[in-house]
Amino acid sequence: AVIYRRGEFEMAGFRKVVEVNLMSLMACATRFHSMLRESKGALIMVSSTAAYHSTMGNPAYNASKTGAVGLTRTLGEAWAEDGIRVNGI
């Protein structure tokens, strides 16, 4: 999700974008953790190149995509012991 015309500079817009782009990733990951563990499955996180450069008009989009990269790394390390592979694209 992204909100143009500086909508992400307002807290409601910022919150909405972070909820969709980042919080939903963790919600899905935790929801399916037990199934992934049982099947030794893989979780694929989708981010954006915006995680690696600024996006002047979209702070929430940038923060959420950067957060997705960090979440991927953290879950990858934490869930490896459960046999779950966590990768990002």
Side-chain angles (χ1 to χ4, degrees):
V2 64
I3 301 174
Y4 295 108
R5 298 185 182 206
R6 300 184 67 80
E8 294 178 19
F9 287 88
E10 301 296 326
M11 282 307 298
F14 190 93
R15 187 172 285 112
K16 180 179 180 178
V17 172
V18 171
E19 283 285 336
V20 171
N21 292 355
L22 181 58
M23 298 296 289
S24 66
L25 295 178
M26 187 61 179
C28 287
T30 57
R31 169 66 179 88
F32 293 105
H33 179 265
S34 62
M35 286 184 262
L36 290 165
R37 184 182 59 234
E38 290 170 18
S39 66
K40 303 297 184 202
L43 177 64
I44 308 299
M45 301 276 203
V46 179
S47 186
S48 167
T49 61
Y52 303 100
H53 61 83
S54 69
T55 53
M56 184 173 61
N58 300 99
Y61 182 81
N62 187 283
S64 64
K65 295 305 181 173
T66 301
V69 171
L71 181 61
T72 301
R73 289 184 192 135
T74 300
L75 290 182
E77 184 174 10
W79 290 5
E81 63 190 35
D82 294 329
I84 301 170
R85 290 173 291 119
V86 182
N87 300 103
I89 57 170

